[in-house]
């Protein structure tokens, strides 16, 4: 048996390291290569099918807000479809016209579609994508079955044929799909002077990207008037806190609990 060649092994190790740096760049290097969040978002949303998901179960509203903002920032014209089964609207609540308008959504171009089942929502999304320049937000609600690869593939083909765009808001257990990218979203502390209310802020990470590197994360703010995102400095968020500062004390530390349940 031949003894291993140290020079050959070191050469192979160097090639493996170079391959890893080329195809799986660290998050910071990848972010620098993309040139920041805005260039990464524009590159990802040029594709006909993308998806977003909450970073944790309590971040559903943040993922919804980011999805609506991202579709609004992508195009100024064309119809915007918001399609979801009735159970998703029951969970998220009915859309508020005043709130959507203040968020930057053009109500004259917004069409809400409420379906009886998740399957009907996918069918309605496929029909909406047949319109040129249409943008469709399809909420994938939890059900007996998660989104299948074949169903997402049909949406991709329909969007490619018409030049439309679809964003899947994944609230179901995540499974492989035909989406080119997947964004994980959570709420972030907004920045404002004094006790003023700041702009909507999100912590986003590019979890999957078939068109380039992934693994980057940013803190961004949504400008509802200019219809674009602004990347927030990391240092600003390191010292961010809630508006009121302190929170209520735990129950065991409250005088009411010490006095007993019948105390006035």
């Amino acid at each position: 048996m031949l003894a291993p060649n140290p020079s050959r092994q070191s050469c192979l190790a160097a090639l493996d390291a170079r391959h890893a740096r080329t195809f799986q760049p660290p998050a910071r290097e990848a972010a620098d290569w993309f040139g920041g969040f805005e260039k990464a978002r524009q590159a990802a949303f040029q594709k006909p099918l993308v998806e977003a998901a909450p970073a944790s179960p309590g971040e559903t509203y943040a993922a919804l807000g980011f999805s609506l903002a991202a579709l609004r920032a992508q195009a100024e014209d064309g119809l915007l479809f918001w399609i979801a089964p009735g159970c998703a609207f029951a969970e998220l609540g009915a859309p508020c016209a005043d709130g959507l308008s203040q968020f930057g959504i053009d109500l004259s171009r917004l069409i809400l579609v409420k379906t009886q089942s998740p399957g009907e929502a996918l069918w309605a999304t496929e029909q909406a994508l047949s319109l040129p320049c249409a943008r469709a937000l399809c909420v994938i609600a939890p059900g007996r079955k998660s989104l299948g690869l074949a169903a997402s593939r049909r949406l991709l083909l329909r969007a490619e044929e018409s030049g439309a765009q679809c964003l899947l808001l994944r609230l179901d257990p995540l499974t492989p799909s035909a989406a080119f990218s997947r964004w994980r979203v959570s709420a972030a502390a907004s920045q404002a002077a004094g006790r003023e209310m700041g702009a909507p802020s999100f912590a986003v990470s590019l979890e999957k990207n078939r068109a380039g590197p992934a693994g980057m994360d940013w803190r961004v703010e949504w400008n509802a008037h200019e219809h674009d995102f602004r990347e927030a400095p990391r240092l600003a968020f390191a010292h961010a806190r809630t508006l009121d500062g302190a929170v209520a004390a735990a129950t065991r530390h409250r005088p009411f609990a010490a006095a007993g349940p019948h105390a006035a």
Side-chain angles (χ1 to χ4, degrees):
M1 182 176 179
L2 296 177
N5 188 338
S7 62
R8 182 174 182 271
Q9 287 183 336
S10 61
C11 182
L12 291 176
L15 288 175
D16 290 340
R18 181 178 179 182
H19 180 274
R21 289 195 303 269
T22 302
F23 295 97
Q24 294 181 350
R28 185 174 299 277
E29 293 182 10
D32 294 340
W33 182 83
F34 252 136
F37 168 79
E38 190 58 23
K39 287 188 177 181
R41 183 194 65 81
Q42 291 178 2
F45 277 82
Q46 286 178 355
K47 304 301 182 180
L49 182 64
V50 299
E51 63 183 17
S56 63
E59 303 293 350
T60 302
Y61 291 101
L64 173 62
F66 175 80
S67 300
L68 288 171
L71 288 176
R72 182 66 179 90
Q74 192 62 19
E76 292 290 337
D77 54 358
L79 295 175
L80 173 59
F81 291 85
W82 180 352
I83 304 170
C87 59
F89 279 119
E91 179 69 22
L92 296 172
C96 174
D98 290 339
L100 289 172
S101 180
Q102 294 177 14
F103 197 69
I105 304 300
D106 186 354
L107 299 181
S108 65
R109 299 181 181 274
L110 176 64
I111 298 178
L112 297 176
V113 181
K114 179 181 178 182
T115 65
Q116 294 294 327
S117 66
E120 290 182 359
L122 292 173
W123 179 87
T125 302
E126 189 174 349
Q127 303 308 307
L129 293 176
S130 63
L131 298 175
C133 300
R135 293 160 292 152
L137 170 61
C138 180
V139 180
I140 307 298
R144 288 177 296 179
K145 295 192 303 181
S146 297
L147 177 68
L149 183 60
S152 63
R153 180 65 177 170
R154 286 196 300 270
L155 297 178
L156 172 62
L157 293 176
R158 182 59 63 92
E160 288 179 335
E161 291 174 358
S162 63
Q165 186 177 43
C166 178
L167 191 154
L168 301 174
L169 178 55
R170 299 290 303 270
L171 305 182
D172 63 324
L174 294 177
T175 53
S177 72
F180 281 86
S181 62
R182 176 183 297 160
W183 299 79
R184 286 279 197 170
V185 187
S186 61
S190 61
Q191 299 299 301
R195 296 177 60 86
E196 296 294 329
M197 183 177 294
S201 301
F202 308 94
V204 298
S205 61
L206 185 54
E207 184 178 74
K208 181 185 78 171
N209 185 16
R210 290 167 51 190
M216 300 84 74
D217 61 272
W218 300 272
R219 298 294 182 96
V220 297
E221 295 180 346
W222 168 244
N223 189 322
H225 302 286
E226 300 295 334
H227 307 144
D228 60 11
F229 290 94
R230 182 181 70 87
E231 190 173 348
R234 292 180 179 271
L235 182 61
F237 282 96
H239 303 285
R241 63 183 181 88
T242 57
L243 182 62
D244 292 329
V247 297
T251 303
R252 63 179 181 274
H253 294 152
R254 295 178 184 175
F256 178 82
H262 299 291

mmCIF file of all heavy atoms in Angstrom, residues 68-108:
data_model
loop_
_atom_site.group_PDB
_atom_site.id
_atom_site.type_symbol
_atom_site.label_atom_id
_atom_site.label_comp_id
_atom_site.label_asym_id
_atom_site.label_seq_id
_atom_site.Cartn_x
_atom_site.Cartn_y
_atom_site.Cartn_z
ATOM 1 N N LEU A 68 -45.623 42.499 1.501
ATOM 2 C CA LEU A 68 -46.366 43.557 0.820
ATOM 3 C C LEU A 68 -45.432 44.690 0.396
ATOM 4 O O LEU A 68 -45.542 45.216 -0.721
ATOM 5 C CB LEU A 68 -47.463 44.092 1.729
ATOM 6 C CG LEU A 68 -48.665 43.171 1.968
ATOM 7 C CD1 LEU A 68 -49.560 43.737 3.058
ATOM 8 C CD2 LEU A 68 -49.455 42.974 0.675
ATOM 9 N N ALA A 69 -44.510 45.070 1.277
ATOM 10 C CA ALA A 69 -43.585 46.156 0.953
ATOM 11 C C ALA A 69 -42.665 45.771 -0.202
ATOM 12 O O ALA A 69 -42.394 46.585 -1.088
ATOM 13 C CB ALA A 69 -42.777 46.525 2.188
ATOM 14 N N ALA A 70 -42.184 44.541 -0.202
ATOM 15 C CA ALA A 70 -41.269 44.112 -1.258
ATOM 16 C C ALA A 70 -41.955 44.111 -2.619
ATOM 17 O O ALA A 70 -41.368 44.533 -3.622
ATOM 18 C CB ALA A 70 -40.715 42.726 -0.933
ATOM 19 N N LEU A 71 -43.195 43.652 -2.674
ATOM 20 C CA LEU A 71 -43.925 43.685 -3.943
ATOM 21 C C LEU A 71 -44.226 45.122 -4.366
ATOM 22 O O LEU A 71 -44.187 45.443 -5.558
ATOM 23 C CB LEU A 71 -45.213 42.877 -3.828
ATOM 24 C CG LEU A 71 -45.054 41.359 -3.758
ATOM 25 C CD1 LEU A 71 -46.401 40.688 -3.548
ATOM 26 C CD2 LEU A 71 -44.391 40.822 -5.025
ATOM 27 N N ARG A 72 -44.529 45.984 -3.398
ATOM 28 C CA ARG A 72 -44.795 47.395 -3.721
ATOM 29 C C ARG A 72 -43.538 48.074 -4.238
ATOM 30 O O ARG A 72 -43.606 48.897 -5.166
ATOM 31 C CB ARG A 72 -45.305 48.112 -2.471
ATOM 32 C CG ARG A 72 -45.651 49.588 -2.712
ATOM 33 C CD ARG A 72 -46.825 49.709 -3.645
ATOM 34 N NE ARG A 72 -47.210 51.084 -3.895
ATOM 35 C CZ ARG A 72 -46.721 51.832 -4.879
ATOM 36 N NH1 ARG A 72 -45.798 51.333 -5.698
ATOM 37 N NH2 ARG A 72 -47.139 53.074 -5.061
ATOM 38 N N ALA A 73 -42.396 47.752 -3.677
ATOM 39 C CA ALA A 73 -41.146 48.379 -4.110
ATOM 40 C C ALA A 73 -40.698 47.892 -5.475
ATOM 41 O O ALA A 73 -39.960 48.591 -6.173
ATOM 42 C CB ALA A 73 -40.045 48.111 -3.079
ATOM 43 N N GLN A 74 -41.150 46.710 -5.867
ATOM 44 C CA GLN A 74 -40.663 46.131 -7.109
ATOM 45 C C GLN A 74 -41.245 46.808 -8.341
ATOM 46 O O GLN A 74 -40.588 46.874 -9.374
ATOM 47 C CB GLN A 74 -40.996 44.629 -7.135
ATOM 48 C CG GLN A 74 -40.294 43.853 -8.235
ATOM 49 C CD GLN A 74 -38.786 43.885 -8.098
ATOM 50 O OE1 GLN A 74 -38.263 44.167 -7.031
ATOM 51 N NE2 GLN A 74 -38.076 43.611 -9.188
ATOM 52 N N ALA A 75 -42.468 47.306 -8.262
ATOM 53 C CA ALA A 75 -43.107 47.910 -9.435
ATOM 54 C C ALA A 75 -44.126 48.944 -8.985
ATOM 55 O O ALA A 75 -44.813 48.759 -7.970
ATOM 56 C CB ALA A 75 -43.781 46.840 -10.297
ATOM 57 N N GLU A 76 -44.225 50.022 -9.743
ATOM 58 C CA GLU A 76 -45.180 51.087 -9.434
ATOM 59 C C GLU A 76 -46.536 50.860 -10.089
ATOM 60 O O GLU A 76 -47.540 51.384 -9.631
ATOM 61 C CB GLU A 76 -44.610 52.444 -9.893
ATOM 62 C CG GLU A 76 -43.399 52.906 -9.093
ATOM 63 C CD GLU A 76 -43.763 53.316 -7.677
ATOM 64 O OE1 GLU A 76 -44.935 53.655 -7.449
ATOM 65 O OE2 GLU A 76 -42.884 53.278 -6.806
ATOM 66 N N ASP A 77 -46.562 50.114 -11.174
ATOM 67 C CA ASP A 77 -47.817 49.894 -11.889
ATOM 68 C C ASP A 77 -48.193 48.417 -11.837
ATOM 69 O O ASP A 77 -47.477 47.596 -11.277
ATOM 70 C CB ASP A 77 -47.707 50.376 -13.342
ATOM 71 C CG ASP A 77 -46.523 49.737 -14.054
ATOM 72 O OD1 ASP A 77 -45.784 48.965 -13.408
ATOM 73 O OD2 ASP A 77 -46.326 50.013 -15.241
ATOM 74 N N GLY A 78 -49.316 48.093 -12.440
ATOM 75 C CA GLY A 78 -49.789 46.718 -12.428
ATOM 76 C C GLY A 78 -50.645 46.422 -11.207
ATOM 77 O O GLY A 78 -50.596 47.130 -10.198
ATOM 78 N N LEU A 79 -51.413 45.364 -11.306
ATOM 79 C CA LEU A 79 -52.301 44.962 -10.219
ATOM 80 C C LEU A 79 -51.541 44.164 -9.173
ATOM 81 O O LEU A 79 -50.610 43.417 -9.479
ATOM 82 C CB LEU A 79 -53.457 44.124 -10.770
ATOM 83 C CG LEU A 79 -54.427 44.833 -11.715
ATOM 84 C CD1 LEU A 79 -55.444 43.842 -12.265
ATOM 85 C CD2 LEU A 79 -55.141 45.974 -11.004
ATOM 86 N N LEU A 80 -51.961 44.349 -7.926
ATOM 87 C CA LEU A 80 -51.395 43.603 -6.807
ATOM 88 C C LEU A 80 -52.495 42.732 -6.220
ATOM 89 O O LEU A 80 -53.505 43.244 -5.721
ATOM 90 C CB LEU A 80 -50.838 44.554 -5.746
ATOM 91 C CG LEU A 80 -50.369 43.912 -4.429
ATOM 92 C CD1 LEU A 80 -49.277 42.893 -4.677
ATOM 93 C CD2 LEU A 80 -49.902 44.979 -3.445
ATOM 94 N N PHE A 81 -52.321 41.421 -6.301
ATOM 95 C CA PHE A 81 -53.282 40.466 -5.761
ATOM 96 C C PHE A 81 -52.797 39.974 -4.396
ATOM 97 O O PHE A 81 -51.633 39.615 -4.239
ATOM 98 C CB PHE A 81 -53.442 39.259 -6.697
ATOM 99 C CG PHE A 81 -54.124 39.577 -8.000
ATOM 100 C CD1 PHE A 81 -53.407 40.067 -9.076
ATOM 101 C CD2 PHE A 81 -55.491 39.382 -8.144
ATOM 102 C CE1 PHE A 81 -54.027 40.353 -10.281
ATOM 103 C CE2 PHE A 81 -56.129 39.667 -9.342
ATOM 104 C CZ PHE A 81 -55.392 40.159 -10.419
ATOM 105 N N TRP A 82 -53.715 39.976 -3.443
ATOM 106 C CA TRP A 82 -53.459 39.409 -2.120
ATOM 107 C C TRP A 82 -54.438 38.254 -1.979
ATOM 108 O O TRP A 82 -55.626 38.442 -1.779
ATOM 109 C CB TRP A 82 -53.664 40.463 -1.052
ATOM 110 C CG TRP A 82 -53.433 40.009 0.355
ATOM 111 C CD1 TRP A 82 -53.203 38.728 0.798
ATOM 112 C CD2 TRP A 82 -53.430 40.828 1.524
ATOM 113 N NE1 TRP A 82 -53.058 38.705 2.164
ATOM 114 C CE2 TRP A 82 -53.171 39.978 2.633
ATOM 115 C CE3 TRP A 82 -53.600 42.200 1.746
ATOM 116 C CZ2 TRP A 82 -53.112 40.470 3.935
ATOM 117 C CZ3 TRP A 82 -53.534 42.678 3.045
ATOM 118 C CH2 TRP A 82 -53.297 41.815 4.127
ATOM 119 N N ILE A 83 -53.913 37.036 -2.089
ATOM 120 C CA ILE A 83 -54.747 35.840 -2.169
ATOM 121 C C ILE A 83 -54.452 34.951 -0.963
ATOM 122 O O ILE A 83 -53.293 34.652 -0.670
ATOM 123 C CB ILE A 83 -54.469 35.072 -3.476
ATOM 124 C CG1 ILE A 83 -54.671 36.005 -4.675
ATOM 125 C CG2 ILE A 83 -55.363 33.852 -3.590
ATOM 126 C CD1 ILE A 83 -54.195 35.439 -5.990
ATOM 127 N N ALA A 84 -55.512 34.545 -0.281
ATOM 128 C CA ALA A 84 -55.335 33.710 0.910
ATOM 129 C C ALA A 84 -56.622 32.949 1.180
ATOM 130 O O ALA A 84 -57.718 33.435 0.871
ATOM 131 C CB ALA A 84 -54.955 34.556 2.122
ATOM 132 N N PRO A 85 -56.514 31.765 1.760
ATOM 133 C CA PRO A 85 -57.740 31.064 2.190
ATOM 134 C C PRO A 85 -58.373 31.772 3.378
ATOM 135 O O PRO A 85 -57.721 32.558 4.089
ATOM 136 C CB PRO A 85 -57.215 29.668 2.566
ATOM 137 C CG PRO A 85 -55.773 29.874 2.904
ATOM 138 C CD PRO A 85 -55.298 30.991 2.018
ATOM 139 N N GLY A 86 -59.635 31.493 3.605
ATOM 140 C CA GLY A 86 -60.356 32.159 4.678
ATOM 141 C C GLY A 86 -59.726 31.951 6.047
ATOM 142 O O GLY A 86 -59.750 32.850 6.888
ATOM 143 N N CYS A 87 -59.130 30.779 6.280
ATOM 144 C CA CYS A 87 -58.515 30.522 7.585
ATOM 145 C C CYS A 87 -57.328 31.450 7.826
ATOM 146 O O CYS A 87 -57.064 31.840 8.969
ATOM 147 C CB CYS A 87 -58.076 29.069 7.672
ATOM 148 S SG CYS A 87 -56.893 28.544 6.405
ATOM 149 N N ALA A 88 -56.619 31.834 6.764
ATOM 150 C CA ALA A 88 -55.480 32.751 6.920
ATOM 151 C C ALA A 88 -55.965 34.152 7.262
ATOM 152 O O ALA A 88 -55.384 34.833 8.122
ATOM 153 C CB ALA A 88 -54.638 32.769 5.645
ATOM 154 N N PHE A 89 -57.029 34.606 6.589
ATOM 155 C CA PHE A 89 -57.592 35.916 6.925
ATOM 156 C C PHE A 89 -58.152 35.920 8.347
ATOM 157 O O PHE A 89 -58.079 36.936 9.048
ATOM 158 C CB PHE A 89 -58.677 36.298 5.932
ATOM 159 C CG PHE A 89 -58.155 36.871 4.646
ATOM 160 C CD1 PHE A 89 -58.413 36.256 3.436
ATOM 161 C CD2 PHE A 89 -57.400 38.038 4.638
ATOM 162 C CE1 PHE A 89 -57.941 36.781 2.253
ATOM 163 C CE2 PHE A 89 -56.912 38.579 3.464
ATOM 164 C CZ PHE A 89 -57.179 37.944 2.260
ATOM 165 N N ALA A 90 -58.716 34.788 8.772
ATOM 166 C CA ALA A 90 -59.225 34.707 10.141
ATOM 167 C C ALA A 90 -58.087 34.804 11.148
ATOM 168 O O ALA A 90 -58.243 35.384 12.229
ATOM 169 C CB ALA A 90 -60.008 33.410 10.331
ATOM 170 N N GLU A 91 -56.942 34.255 10.816
ATOM 171 C CA GLU A 91 -55.799 34.285 11.723
ATOM 172 C C GLU A 91 -55.119 35.651 11.710
ATOM 173 O O GLU A 91 -54.738 36.174 12.774
ATOM 174 C CB GLU A 91 -54.791 33.206 11.319
ATOM 175 C CG GLU A 91 -53.539 33.139 12.172
ATOM 176 C CD GLU A 91 -53.811 32.653 13.573
ATOM 177 O OE1 GLU A 91 -54.847 31.985 13.785
ATOM 178 O OE2 GLU A 91 -53.000 32.943 14.467
ATOM 179 N N LEU A 92 -54.961 36.239 10.521
ATOM 180 C CA LEU A 92 -54.251 37.510 10.398
ATOM 181 C C LEU A 92 -55.147 38.719 10.639
ATOM 182 O O LEU A 92 -54.656 39.810 10.923
ATOM 183 C CB LEU A 92 -53.621 37.621 9.013
ATOM 184 C CG LEU A 92 -52.537 36.592 8.682
ATOM 185 C CD1 LEU A 92 -52.135 36.699 7.216
ATOM 186 C CD2 LEU A 92 -51.324 36.781 9.575
ATOM 187 N N GLY A 93 -56.448 38.536 10.487
ATOM 188 C CA GLY A 93 -57.370 39.659 10.610
ATOM 189 C C GLY A 93 -57.693 40.254 9.254
ATOM 190 O O GLY A 93 -56.975 40.053 8.266
ATOM 191 N N ALA A 94 -58.798 40.983 9.204
ATOM 192 C CA ALA A 94 -59.210 41.607 7.948
ATOM 193 C C ALA A 94 -58.292 42.773 7.611
ATOM 194 O O ALA A 94 -57.915 43.552 8.493
ATOM 195 C CB ALA A 94 -60.662 42.084 8.049
ATOM 196 N N PRO A 95 -57.904 42.932 6.351
ATOM 197 C CA PRO A 95 -57.054 44.065 5.961
ATOM 198 C C PRO A 95 -57.755 45.391 6.231
ATOM 199 O O PRO A 95 -58.966 45.531 6.022
ATOM 200 C CB PRO A 95 -56.836 43.837 4.459
ATOM 201 C CG PRO A 95 -57.092 42.385 4.246
ATOM 202 C CD PRO A 95 -58.147 42.005 5.232
ATOM 203 N N CYS A 96 -57.002 46.369 6.684
ATOM 204 C CA CYS A 96 -57.521 47.703 6.980
ATOM 205 C C CYS A 96 -57.107 48.652 5.863
ATOM 206 O O CYS A 96 -55.910 48.798 5.579
ATOM 207 C CB CYS A 96 -56.994 48.179 8.324
ATOM 208 S SG CYS A 96 -57.415 49.885 8.737
ATOM 209 N N ALA A 97 -58.081 49.305 5.237
ATOM 210 C CA ALA A 97 -57.782 50.182 4.107
ATOM 211 C C ALA A 97 -56.890 51.351 4.519
ATOM 212 O O ALA A 97 -55.922 51.687 3.826
ATOM 213 C CB ALA A 97 -59.086 50.695 3.485
ATOM 214 N N ASP A 98 -57.192 51.971 5.662
ATOM 215 C CA ASP A 98 -56.379 53.106 6.111
ATOM 216 C C ASP A 98 -54.946 52.667 6.406
ATOM 217 O O ASP A 98 -53.982 53.355 6.057
ATOM 218 C CB ASP A 98 -57.004 53.739 7.357
ATOM 219 C CG ASP A 98 -58.300 54.471 7.042
ATOM 220 O OD1 ASP A 98 -58.493 54.826 5.859
ATOM 221 O OD2 ASP A 98 -59.109 54.680 7.962
ATOM 222 N N GLY A 99 -54.806 51.526 7.062
ATOM 223 C CA GLY A 99 -53.474 51.047 7.380
ATOM 224 C C GLY A 99 -52.675 50.701 6.141
ATOM 225 O O GLY A 99 -51.487 51.015 6.043
ATOM 226 N N LEU A 100 -53.316 50.059 5.167
ATOM 227 C CA LEU A 100 -52.618 49.710 3.927
ATOM 228 C C LEU A 100 -52.202 50.967 3.171
ATOM 229 O O LEU A 100 -51.106 51.022 2.600
ATOM 230 C CB LEU A 100 -53.520 48.834 3.055
ATOM 231 C CG LEU A 100 -53.762 47.412 3.558
ATOM 232 C CD1 LEU A 100 -54.818 46.727 2.702
ATOM 233 C CD2 LEU A 100 -52.477 46.604 3.536
ATOM 234 N N SER A 101 -53.074 51.962 3.153
ATOM 235 C CA SER A 101 -52.742 53.206 2.467
ATOM 236 C C SER A 101 -51.553 53.899 3.128
ATOM 237 O O SER A 101 -50.638 54.389 2.445
ATOM 238 C CB SER A 101 -53.956 54.131 2.437
ATOM 239 O OG SER A 101 -53.659 55.341 1.785
ATOM 240 N N GLN A 102 -51.542 53.957 4.459
ATOM 241 C CA GLN A 102 -50.423 54.561 5.169
ATOM 242 C C GLN A 102 -49.146 53.750 4.995
ATOM 243 O O GLN A 102 -48.043 54.288 5.077
ATOM 244 C CB GLN A 102 -50.761 54.698 6.651
ATOM 245 C CG GLN A 102 -51.878 55.679 6.939
ATOM 246 C CD GLN A 102 -52.231 55.742 8.409
ATOM 247 O OE1 GLN A 102 -51.483 55.241 9.254
ATOM 248 N NE2 GLN A 102 -53.371 56.340 8.724
ATOM 249 N N PHE A 103 -49.288 52.468 4.737
ATOM 250 C CA PHE A 103 -48.134 51.599 4.513
ATOM 251 C C PHE A 103 -47.554 51.755 3.110
ATOM 252 O O PHE A 103 -46.488 51.233 2.808
ATOM 253 C CB PHE A 103 -48.544 50.149 4.757
ATOM 254 C CG PHE A 103 -47.390 49.206 4.947
ATOM 255 C CD1 PHE A 103 -46.592 49.276 6.077
ATOM 256 C CD2 PHE A 103 -47.104 48.240 4.002
ATOM 257 C CE1 PHE A 103 -45.530 48.413 6.253
ATOM 258 C CE2 PHE A 103 -46.043 47.364 4.175
ATOM 259 C CZ PHE A 103 -45.254 47.452 5.312
ATOM 260 N N GLY A 104 -48.265 52.480 2.251
ATOM 261 C CA GLY A 104 -47.768 52.731 0.903
ATOM 262 C C GLY A 104 -48.416 51.901 -0.177
ATOM 263 O O GLY A 104 -47.969 51.933 -1.334
ATOM 264 N N ILE A 105 -49.457 51.139 0.167
ATOM 265 C CA ILE A 105 -50.125 50.296 -0.822
ATOM 266 C C ILE A 105 -51.167 51.114 -1.581
ATOM 267 O O ILE A 105 -51.988 51.809 -0.978
ATOM 268 C CB ILE A 105 -50.799 49.088 -0.145
ATOM 269 C CG1 ILE A 105 -49.762 48.289 0.662
ATOM 270 C CG2 ILE A 105 -51.477 48.211 -1.173
ATOM 271 C CD1 ILE A 105 -48.635 47.750 -0.159
ATOM 272 N N ASP A 106 -51.126 51.050 -2.908
ATOM 273 C CA ASP A 106 -52.088 51.741 -3.753
ATOM 274 C C ASP A 106 -53.382 50.923 -3.777
ATOM 275 O O ASP A 106 -53.450 49.861 -4.411
ATOM 276 C CB ASP A 106 -51.517 51.898 -5.166
ATOM 277 C CG ASP A 106 -52.411 52.749 -6.060
ATOM 278 O OD1 ASP A 106 -53.527 53.115 -5.628
ATOM 279 O OD2 ASP A 106 -51.998 53.043 -7.202
ATOM 280 N N LEU A 107 -54.405 51.419 -3.079
ATOM 281 C CA LEU A 107 -55.650 50.661 -2.952
ATOM 282 C C LEU A 107 -56.374 50.502 -4.283
ATOM 283 O O LEU A 107 -57.144 49.550 -4.457
ATOM 284 C CB LEU A 107 -56.569 51.341 -1.933
ATOM 285 C CG LEU A 107 -56.015 51.452 -0.509
ATOM 286 C CD1 LEU A 107 -57.028 52.129 0.396
ATOM 287 C CD2 LEU A 107 -55.632 50.093 0.046
ATOM 288 N N SER A 108 -56.145 51.412 -5.217
ATOM 289 C CA SER A 108 -56.814 51.318 -6.513
ATOM 290 C C SER A 108 -56.276 50.164 -7.352
ATOM 291 O O SER A 108 -56.909 49.766 -8.330
ATOM 292 C CB SER A 108 -56.647 52.630 -7.289
ATOM 293 O OG SER A 108 -55.294 52.863 -7.609
#
